[in-house]
Coordinates of all heavy atoms in Angstrom, one line a residue:
Y1 N -14.0 -5.6 12.5 CA -12.6 -5.9 12.6 C -11.8 -4.6 12.9 O -11.9 -3.6 12.2 CB -12.0 -6.5 11.4 CG -12.6 -7.9 11.1 CD1 -13.7 -8.1 10.3 CD2 -12.0 -9.0 11.7 CE1 -14.2 -9.3 10.0 CE2 -12.5 -10.3 11.4 CZ -13.6 -10.4 10.5 OH -14.1 -11.7 10.2
A2 N -11.0 -4.7 14.0 CA -9.9 -3.7 14.1 C -8.9 -4.0 13.0 O -8.8 -5.1 12.5 CB -9.2 -3.8 15.4
M3 N -8.3 -2.9 12.5 CA -7.3 -3.1 11.4 C -6.0 -2.5 11.8 O -5.9 -1.6 12.6 CB -7.8 -2.3 10.1 CG -9.1 -2.8 9.5 SD -8.9 -4.5 8.8 CE -7.9 -4.1 7.4
G4 N -4.9 -3.0 11.2 CA -3.6 -2.6 11.5 C -2.7 -2.5 10.3 O -2.9 -3.1 9.3
W5 N -1.6 -1.7 10.5 CA -0.6 -1.6 9.5 C 0.7 -2.0 10.2 O 1.0 -1.6 11.3 CB -0.4 -0.2 8.9 CG -1.4 0.2 7.9 CD1 -2.6 0.9 8.2 CD2 -1.4 -0.1 6.5 NE1 -3.3 1.1 7.0 CE2 -2.6 0.5 6.0 CE3 -0.6 -0.8 5.7 CZ2 -2.9 0.4 4.6 CZ3 -0.9 -0.8 4.3 CH2 -2.1 -0.3 3.8
F6 N 1.5 -2.9 9.5 CA 2.8 -3.4 10.0 C 3.8 -3.2 8.9 O 3.4 -3.0 7.7 CB 2.7 -4.8 10.4 CG 1.8 -5.1 11.5 CD1 0.4 -5.2 11.3 CD2 2.3 -5.3 12.8 CE1 -0.5 -5.4 12.4 CE2 1.4 -5.6 13.9 CZ 0.1 -5.7 13.7
R7 N 5.1 -3.3 9.2 CA 6.1 -3.1 8.2 C 7.3 -4.1 8.5 O 7.5 -4.4 9.6 CB 6.6 -1.7 8.1 CG 7.3 -1.2 9.3 CD 7.6 0.3 9.1 NE 8.4 0.9 10.2 CZ 8.6 2.2 10.4 NH1 8.2 3.1 9.5 NH2 9.3 2.6 11.4
Q8 N 8.0 -4.4 7.5 CA 9.1 -5.3 7.6 C 10.2 -4.9 6.6 O 10.0 -4.9 5.4 CB 8.7 -6.8 7.4 CG 9.8 -7.8 7.6 CD 9.2 -9.2 7.7 OE1 8.1 -9.5 7.1 NE2 9.9 -10.1 8.3
A9 N 11.4 -4.7 7.2 CA 12.6 -4.3 6.4 C 13.4 -5.6 6.1 O 13.2 -6.6 6.9 CB 13.4 -3.3 7.1
P10 N 14.2 -5.7 5.1 CA 15.0 -6.9 4.8 C 15.8 -7.3 6.0 O 16.5 -6.5 6.6 CB 15.8 -6.5 3.6 CG 15.1 -5.4 2.9 CD 14.4 -4.6 4.1
G11 N 15.7 -8.6 6.3 CA 16.5 -9.2 7.4 C 15.9 -8.8 8.8 O 16.6 -9.2 9.8
K12 N 14.8 -8.1 8.9 CA 14.3 -7.7 10.2 C 12.9 -8.3 10.4 O 12.3 -8.8 9.5 CB 14.1 -6.2 10.2 CG 15.4 -5.4 10.0 CD 16.4 -5.6 11.1 CE 17.6 -4.7 10.9 NZ 18.6 -4.9 12.0
E13 N 12.5 -8.3 11.7 CA 11.2 -8.9 12.0 C 10.1 -7.9 11.7 O 10.3 -6.6 11.7 CB 11.1 -9.2 13.5 CG 12.0 -10.4 13.9 CD 11.9 -10.8 15.3 OE1 11.1 -10.1 16.1 OE2 12.4 -11.8 15.7
R14 N 8.9 -8.4 11.5 CA 7.7 -7.5 11.2 C 7.4 -6.7 12.5 O 7.5 -7.2 13.6 CB 6.5 -8.4 10.9 CG 5.3 -7.6 10.5 CD 4.2 -8.6 10.0 NE 4.0 -9.7 10.9 CZ 3.3 -10.8 10.7 NH1 2.7 -10.9 9.5 NH2 3.2 -11.8 11.6
E15 N 7.2 -5.4 12.3 CA 6.9 -4.5 13.5 C 5.6 -3.8 13.3 O 5.2 -3.4 12.2 CB 8.1 -3.5 13.7 CG 8.3 -2.5 12.6 CD 9.3 -1.5 12.9 OE1 9.8 -1.5 14.1 OE2 9.6 -0.7 12.0
F16 N 5.0 -3.4 14.4 CA 3.7 -2.7 14.4 C 3.9 -1.2 14.0 O 4.9 -0.6 14.4 CB 3.1 -2.8 15.8 CG 2.0 -1.8 16.0 CD1 0.7 -2.1 15.5 CD2 2.2 -0.6 16.7 CE1 -0.3 -1.2 15.7 CE2 1.1 0.3 16.9 CZ -0.1 0.0 16.4
V17 N 3.0 -0.7 13.2 CA 3.0 0.7 12.8 C 1.8 1.5 13.4 O 2.0 2.5 14.1 CB 3.1 0.8 11.3 CG1 3.0 2.3 10.9 CG2 4.3 0.2 10.7
A18 N 0.6 1.0 13.1 CA -0.6 1.7 13.5 C -1.8 0.8 13.5 O -1.8 -0.2 12.8 CB -0.9 2.9 12.6
A19 N -2.8 1.1 14.3 CA -4.0 0.3 14.4 C -5.2 1.2 14.6 O -5.1 2.3 15.1 CB -3.9 -0.7 15.5
I20 N -6.4 0.7 14.2 CA -7.6 1.5 14.3 C -8.7 0.5 14.6 O -8.8 -0.6 14.2 CB -7.9 2.2 13.0 CG1 -9.1 3.2 13.1 CG2 -8.1 1.3 11.8 CD1 -9.2 4.2 11.9
S21 N -9.7 1.0 15.5 CA -10.8 0.2 15.9 C -11.8 0.0 14.8 O -11.7 0.7 13.7 CB -11.5 0.8 17.1 OG -12.0 2.1 16.8
G22 N -12.7 -0.9 14.9 CA -13.7 -1.2 13.9 C -14.5 0.0 13.5 O -14.8 0.2 12.3
S23 N -14.9 0.8 14.4 CA -15.7 2.0 14.1 C -14.8 3.2 13.6 O -15.4 4.2 13.1 CB -16.4 2.5 15.4 OG -15.6 2.9 16.4
G24 N -13.5 3.1 13.8 CA -12.6 4.2 13.5 C -12.5 5.2 14.6 O -11.8 6.2 14.5
G25 N -13.1 5.0 15.8 CA -13.1 5.9 16.8 C -11.8 5.9 17.7 O -11.6 6.9 18.4
S26 N -11.0 4.9 17.6 CA -9.8 4.8 18.4 C -8.6 4.4 17.5 O -8.8 3.6 16.6 CB -10.0 3.7 19.5 OG -11.0 4.1 20.4
T27 N -7.5 5.0 17.7 CA -6.3 4.7 17.0 C -5.1 4.6 17.9 O -5.1 5.2 19.0 CB -6.0 5.8 15.9 OG1 -5.8 7.1 16.5 CG2 -7.1 5.9 14.9
Y28 N -4.0 4.0 17.4 CA -2.8 3.8 18.2 C -1.7 3.7 17.3 O -1.8 3.1 16.2 CB -2.9 2.6 19.1 CG -1.7 2.6 20.1 CD1 -1.8 3.3 21.3 CD2 -0.6 1.8 19.9 CE1 -0.8 3.3 22.2 CE2 0.4 1.8 20.8 CZ 0.3 2.5 22.0 OH 1.4 2.5 22.9
Y29 N -0.5 4.4 17.6 CA 0.6 4.4 16.7 C 1.9 4.0 17.5 O 2.1 4.3 18.7 CB 0.8 5.9 16.2 CG -0.3 6.4 15.4 CD1 -1.4 7.1 16.0 CD2 -0.4 6.2 14.0 CE1 -2.4 7.6 15.3 CE2 -1.4 6.6 13.3 CZ -2.5 7.3 13.9 OH -3.5 7.8 13.2
A30 N 2.8 3.4 16.7 CA 4.2 3.2 17.2 C 4.8 4.5 17.5 O 4.6 5.5 16.7 CB 5.0 2.3 16.3

């Protein structure tokens, strides 16, 4: 599984923060 981190502030929609591939070899950030 690729894994991700998201965040949500009060009254706001959930937003993307960071993601990583299953092997850990690839990452992406907001």
Side-chain angles (χ1 to χ4, degrees):
Y1 294 92
M3 298 290 294
W5 286 96
F6 297 78
R7 66 188 182 187
Q8 187 168 19
K12 303 295 184 180
E13 293 186 354
R14 183 173 53 189
E15 66 175 355
F16 169 78
V17 176
I20 187 168
S21 62
S23 68
S26 298
T27 59
Y28 190 80
Y29 299 92

